[in-house]
Amino acid sequence: IEVETKTVMATSNDFAIPTDGSVTKIGNYAFYDRSAIENVVIPDSITSIGDNAFAGSGIKEIEIPESVEHIGEGAFDDCENLIAIHGVAGSVAESVAKQYGIAFYGTYKAEENGFIVKSLGAEVPEGSTIRTTVCDSSEIIGQPGIDDAVVYDIVFEKNEEVQTVTGDFIISIPLPEGFAPGRTNVFYINGDGNMEVINSSVVEGFVVFKTNHFSKYAVVLYDHLAGDINDDGKVNARDITALRKHLAG
């Protein structure tokens, strides 16, 4: 590593790029001909990948963060095992995947509301964007056990036409205002209007779930926190005591 320029200049087969921000560039030929290297984690601090940086290496898939603004000539030449590039849709990562004729698995962001959709191995038509629409939730709010709900119609769109995609995706929806993480869940609404619960979690302010189709989803707020036996808004040892008292009569 050249400290002055924060550049990875040369590597060994077990080299890992530092994630502490001390490196911002992958230099020319940095991973050249490293056939034993199958995976490289590129941190968000990297802004540039040099000429022939990974040429002849053994990488199979690689994720290029949005921070990378430049990828040099021949960066992935002769990478015979490289089958896919992951990155943000519309970034240089997608351009490079197209250049080499390999799969691009994109992360798509809806700028108007912060939705994030990440492909787990599904290809999406180039130029597609995520369209999200808030739908009527009046039939859901007020159902037994539900305090509040927001319904979204989520689709891929290109030239104002809905695109059909197949494969697995991770969808991250900003947690609606006033929704408590421990009382929030996601339901898939099928074509008949029936609701099916989906495994989800709240991570860093987002409701996150996995799906393999795009349609309407309801983010719901339950009226009671699971496990909150004494109804104080918390799940702790006091709930165990309350449960024991209840069972003891």
Side-chain angles (χ1 to χ4, degrees), residues 116-127:
I116 301 173
V117 177
K118 183 174 184 177
S119 168
L120 295 180
E123 291 194 72
V124 176
E126 184 181 358

Side-chain angles (χ1 to χ4, degrees), residues 17-241:
I17 302 174
T19 59
D20 59 1
S22 61
V23 172
T24 60
K25 300 176 182 178
I26 298 174
N28 298 342
Y29 296 92
F31 289 87
Y32 179 77
D33 209 26
R34 293 294 180 189
S35 58
I37 291 181
E38 297 182 351
N39 179 57
V40 175
V41 177
I42 302 178
D44 291 339
S45 61
I46 299 297
T47 61
S48 176
I49 297 174
D51 296 347
N52 298 289
F54 294 95
S57 68
I59 58 172
K60 296 180 177 180
E61 295 189 34
I62 191 165
E63 182 160 357
I64 301 175
E66 192 174 11
S67 59
V68 174
E69 300 174 347
H70 170 77
I71 298 177
E73 293 185 10
F76 298 98
D77 280 3
D78 301 318
C79 291
E80 297 179 357
N81 298 325
L82 183 61
I83 60 172
I85 291 177
H86 301 253
V88 174
S91 69
V92 293
E94 184 172 14
S95 299
V96 168
K98 183 178 180 181
Q99 173 189 338
Y100 283 95
I102 59 177
F104 174 73
Y105 300 149
T107 296
Y108 300 80
K109 300 181 179 181
E111 300 295 340
E112 69 275 9
N113 53 24
F115 279 56
I116 301 173
V117 177
K118 183 174 184 177
S119 168
L120 295 180
E123 291 194 72
V124 176
E126 184 181 358
S128 298
T129 58
I130 284 292
R131 187 193 73 194
T132 61
T133 306
V134 178
C135 305
D136 180 32
S137 58
S138 59
E139 293 185 3
I140 299 175
I141 299 174
Q143 288 189 22
I146 296 178
D147 258 356
D148 202 354
V150 183
V151 176
Y152 303 99
D153 187 14
I154 306 172
V155 297
F156 275 103
E157 188 177 67
K158 180 178 181 180
N159 298 327
E160 298 185 354
E161 293 185 1
V162 174
Q163 302 295 299
T164 299
V165 296
T166 57
D168 291 333
F169 293 81
I170 294 291
I171 297 181
S172 299
I173 299 175
L175 184 67
E177 185 176 353
F179 280 51
R183 295 166 52 200
T184 299
N185 209 342
V186 176
F187 287 82
Y188 162 63
I189 304 176
N190 64 26
D192 296 325
N194 296 319
M195 295 172 58
E196 303 172 10
V197 68
I198 292 180
N199 290 329
S200 64
S201 58
V202 177
V203 181
E204 297 181 351
F206 285 86
V207 185
V208 181
F209 60 97
K210 179 180 178 181
T211 186
N212 59 9
H213 49 257
F214 289 84
S215 184
K216 290 183 179 180
Y217 292 90
V219 179
V220 304
L221 177 68
Y222 294 127
D223 64 5
H224 192 86
L225 178 63
D228 183 16
I229 306 300
N230 64 352
D231 204 26
D232 64 354
K234 302 176 182 178
V235 177
N236 50 34
R238 293 181 180 178
D239 295 297
I240 297 176
T241 301

